[in-house]
Structures are given as C-alpha cells and as structure tokens.
Amino acid sequence: MSTLDIARAELAFAVLYLNKAEARDKICRAIQYGSKFLSDGQPGTAQNVDKSTSLARKVFRLFKFINDLHALISPNAPGTPLPLVLLGKSKNALLSTFLFLDQIVWLGRTGIYKNKERTELIGRISLFCWMGSSICTTLVEIGELGRLSGSLKKLEKELKNIDKHKNEQYQSKIQRSNERSLALIKAGMDIVVAVGLLQLAPKKVTPRVTGAFGFVSSLISCYQLLPSPPKVKAS
C-alpha cells in the first residue's frame, strides 16, 4: 500500500466522520466544556468560547427531539424486561423534552423570544429533564450489563471445552458489554455535568469540575461515533 493510498483512506475516514452532524456537535461540546474547565467560571476568553459554543450547539440540535420521539413510540427488542422498557421510554421522553425546550432557550438567547425570566426557567427545566434522562440511561445500562453478564456465564458453560475467544457469539457479547460499560461511564459523568450546570452542589461541583467531566464525556461521545475504518485494497 502506497503512502498516497494511506492518506486517501485516512481522509475518507475523516470525511465520513465529519459528515455526521452528531459528530460535529460532540466536537463542539468538547470545545465548550474544555473552555469551561479553563475558565473556571471566571470572565475572559475561555468563558466567551464556552458561551458562544454552547449557543452554536443549539443550532445543531434543532428538531433533534424528533429522534427520541420516534424512539419513544417504537417497539422494544423482544424479551426486554418491563422495568428496562419503562426506563428506556422514560429516557426517550425526558431527552425529547429537553431537546424541545432547548430550542426555546435558543430563541430566548438569540433575542427572538423576549421574556428573559421565562427563558431562564425553561432552561433549568430542560436541564432537569436532561439529568433525568441521564439517570434513566445509567439504570438501563446497569440492567443491560447484568443481563449480558448472565448470558455470558451461560455461554461460557456451553463452550467449556472450546476456545471461547474464537467463538463469534462470545466475542459479540463481549463487545456489547464493553460498549455498554462505556455508555454507563458517560451517563454517570453527564449526571455530574447536569448537577454542575444546575448548581445543585456549587461547592463540590464547581465550573472546573463540570468542565472536566463534560470534556471527558464529550470525548467518549466522539469515540462512540467513530465509523468503521474504510478498507483499502493492497496494491
């Protein structure tokens, strides 16, 4: 494989990734919370970047509430326990509400909607919805990891005399377990970020702590959105 072929493959991978609106949003989110960490709530360039990026991200999310509204009314995977179904639907409802209210916040902060007090109230309500959806996500991931753990143990018994690492079903379950573990970590971090943004524990969850957790959570989101690398034929 020539150097030019490698460069083309890497550029194709970058284009495929950056063509996703969600990926660009998460990159902006990393910039936003990185700036929040640097500013530590103090006026200056970093805080200006934080605020301007936060406002810009709201444009990326216009009408995104439809995605979770669709997930809310879509059927669940067969065999999913009722508690996990209810938690999943609650997450979709809360996240959809957060994204819908966030559009009103955007209208208020751009000056289209003139009632500043109501804009701030709606902003707090939307953040509580986001925190609630993150809590639901955390519980769903814990439940799904428990289910995966049980099925893995059962599969290990069935593959007692076989190399389990060569079994596709086993490898698939391990991969899903790793993905859900990462999603669990992200959801837990997002709860801390929501607590920081709502100033529910201002002495413990400072702007710098909020920024640090938000930045790492954003990097996890960026990683989760990575597409499969394109295959390049050897010359």
Side-chain angles (χ1 to χ4, degrees), residues 38-204:
L38 293 173
S39 72
D40 194 22
Q42 302 302 314
T45 303
Q47 190 181 70
N48 292 338
V49 172
D50 172 17
K51 290 181 178 179
S52 61
T53 310
S54 174
L55 191 61
R57 285 187 61 228
K58 296 184 188 305
V59 180
F60 280 115
R61 299 200 296 263
L62 287 176
F63 302 108
K64 191 180 173 184
F65 71 92
I66 294 172
N67 293 0
D68 282 278
L69 194 60
H70 178 262
L72 179 64
I73 62 176
S74 297
N76 284 86
T80 306
L82 182 60
L84 291 182
V85 171
L86 294 175
L87 282 169
K89 295 302 182 184
S90 298
K91 179 201 78 171
N92 294 138
L94 287 165
L95 193 54
S96 183
T97 304
F98 158 68
L99 292 167
F100 176 76
L101 294 178
D102 200 47
Q103 293 179 91
I104 301 174
V105 175
W106 174 72
L107 291 172
R109 291 183 181 171
T110 53
I112 299 171
Y113 182 62
K114 303 296 182 182
N115 194 325
K116 290 185 179 180
E117 290 184 3
R118 188 164 292 179
T119 298
E120 292 305 313
L121 177 62
I122 291 172
R124 283 188 67 80
I125 293 170
S126 71
L127 285 173
F128 273 112
C129 289
W130 181 53
M131 184 170 71
S133 73
S134 297
I135 292 169
C136 289
T137 302
T138 301
L139 295 173
V140 167
E141 296 303 337
I142 290 171
E144 290 291 356
L145 280 169
R147 292 178 68 201
L148 271 172
S149 177
S151 63
L152 273 170
K153 288 179 180 177
K154 184 179 178 181
L155 187 60
E156 283 174 354
K157 289 181 180 178
E158 293 174 0
L159 301 172
K160 195 172 182 181
N161 300 320
I162 305 171
D163 186 358
K164 59 187 179 184
H165 297 291
K166 292 182 179 179
N167 184 273
E168 288 185 9
Q169 188 180 359
Y170 182 83
Q171 288 298 320
S172 175
K173 287 181 182 291
I174 288 292
Q175 185 179 350
R176 282 163 53 200
S177 179
N178 291 338
E179 288 171 354
R180 289 199 173 275
S181 296
L182 193 61
L184 175 61
I185 292 168
K186 180 189 175 300
M189 287 186 163
D190 284 341
I191 294 171
V192 177
V193 174
V195 169
L197 294 175
L198 288 163
Q199 297 184 332
L200 300 179
K203 291 183 179 179
K204 292 184 178 180

Side-chain angles (χ1 to χ4, degrees), residues 202-222:
K203 291 183 179 179
K204 292 184 178 180
V205 188
T206 62
R208 180 151 286 174
V209 172
T210 304
F213 275 77
F215 181 72
V216 176
S217 169
S218 302
L219 292 182
I220 292 173
S221 295
C222 289

